Amino acid sequence: MNFTETGGIDLPEYNADGRERFFIFLSIAVFSIAVFEEVRTLFVVPVLLLLFLLIGFYFKWKSLFYLNIPLFVLTFVNIFPYAKNFWPGTLVFALLFYFFAFSKIRDARLLRWLAKGEVSKQVLGLSILFVLSASIALFLWFYLLDPDINDIKENFPKGDIPLLIAAGLGFAIFNAIAEEFLFRGILFEALLTTRISIVWALLIQALSFGILHLYGFPRGWVGVGLAGIYGLMTGLIRILSKGIYYPVLVHIFADITIAGIVLFFAK
């Protein structure tokens, strides 16, 4: 993502028309409510997202079509009862389907988000600030609310310290890459093709990211709020750095904090 000389933001060359914009917003809304158990068990979400994917294919709405590839695959996989135990593997799996169409997505000029980006004093300063504030917020959430995270802890291996550290680092790296690619990459880029303001694009992707954490870490509605704020932070880093690498790095440090809490502080 590039800034113009006037301080604005360069929008994607691909411009979704009015009908495609409607389905992009609808896709993100439907995907976001899939986190609710009552909705997930009805199989409605993957069916709708598959329908939106096919609509995008039929009308050659490339932004809608490519957006719904990972959204459909992820929600379909999550139908199965134990799928949540394999996170972030399920999200990585969904992203693999997206990247199978790498060359076509690139030709459609919808892969700008995959740029490395640039680091500046502003990006570096904000990154450090966001890492520290997120780590503090996560510890405060854990100690003040005393949440039950046994389901998360059970997904980590049990063993000696080196094994736990390796598992924690592996989780942090893969989870950060996968979540940033989906939310600050694919989803955010799709929102920009609708020509809504950058503020609304930031807010919508952050809201979707926050809702995803209703049963994650941090969890509950407080967790949704904290994760949503963090989505705004990493979204801002993506804009300022003009790429996806630095949001991923910032996210990795937050996930290292999460892994540390789960492995060494949770009962």
Side-chain angles (χ1 to χ4, degrees):
M1 182 183 298
N2 299 313
F3 283 93
T4 63
E5 294 180 358
T6 59
I9 183 172
D10 288 338
L11 296 174
E13 292 184 26
Y14 184 91
N15 185 4
D17 67 22
R19 293 176 300 169
E20 184 178 7
R21 294 171 193 172
F22 169 77
F23 280 105
I24 288 173
F25 295 136
L26 188 58
S27 297
I28 295 172
V30 170
F31 168 71
S32 298
I33 65 172
V35 70
F36 297 101
E37 189 71 17
E38 299 82 359
V39 176
R40 185 181 65 83
T41 55
L42 294 176
F43 312 129
V44 173
V45 170
V47 171
L48 286 175
L49 293 177
L50 177 59
L51 175 62
F52 300 154
L53 187 153
L54 294 175
I55 289 174
F57 177 79
Y58 179 80
F59 288 103
K60 297 182 180 180
W61 292 340
K62 296 178 181 179
S63 184
L64 176 68
F65 176 71
Y66 293 125
L67 167 66
N68 275 287
I69 291 176
L71 300 191
F72 162 69
V73 174
L74 180 60
T75 54
F76 175 76
V77 171
N78 282 339
I79 288 175
F80 300 96
Y82 296 101
K84 64 180 182 179
N85 297 334
F86 296 97
W87 186 273
T90 50
L91 178 52
V92 172
F93 179 72
L95 289 173
L96 288 176
F97 280 83
Y98 174 84
F99 282 108
F100 281 150
F102 180 88
S103 60
K104 292 184 178 180
I105 300 172
R106 181 186 57 198
D107 293 342
R109 308 293 177 88
L110 292 171
L111 269 178
R112 302 179 320 142
W113 61 268
L114 199 54
K116 179 180 179 180
E118 304 170 358
V119 65
S120 63
K121 291 182 179 179
Q122 184 182 35
V123 169
L124 183 60
L126 286 176
S127 296
I128 294 173
L129 175 63
F130 292 164
V131 167
L132 292 176
S133 59
S135 297
I136 293 171
L138 288 168
F139 270 105
L140 288 175
W141 172 82
F142 177 73
Y143 280 109
L144 294 178
L145 298 185
D146 191 25
D148 180 5
I149 57 171
N150 286 327
D151 58 319
I152 299 177
K153 190 174 180 64
E154 290 174 357
N155 292 331
F156 282 87
K158 297 176 177 60
D160 53 19
I161 298 298
L163 175 62
L164 295 180
I165 292 176
L169 288 175
F171 162 79
I173 292 171
F174 281 102
N175 188 70
I177 292 174
E179 290 188 351
E180 290 303 315
F181 274 26
L182 179 62
F183 288 95
R184 261 62 70 184
I186 299 168
L187 195 147
F188 192 49
E189 188 77 358
L191 286 169
L192 291 178
T193 66
T194 67
R195 296 303 190 261
I196 60 173
S197 72
I198 185 65
V199 173
W200 278 111
L202 277 171
L203 288 173
I204 292 172
Q205 63 83 24
L207 177 61
S208 181
F209 180 71
I211 293 174
L212 178 73
H213 287 77
L214 183 61
Y215 300 107
F217 192 117
R219 59 181 42 185
W221 289 109
V222 174
V224 168
L226 291 174
I229 293 171
Y230 194 70
L232 288 174
M233 291 177 175
T234 51
L236 181 60
I237 293 296
R238 187 209 149 171
I239 294 170
L240 295 175
S241 67
K242 308 174 186 177
I244 199 69
Y245 282 31
Y246 295 100
V248 168
L249 287 175
V250 171
H251 200 143
I252 286 174
F253 283 103
D255 283 349
I256 287 175
T257 300
I258 291 174
I261 292 173
V262 173
L263 291 171
F264 301 110
F265 294 94
K267 298 178 181 179

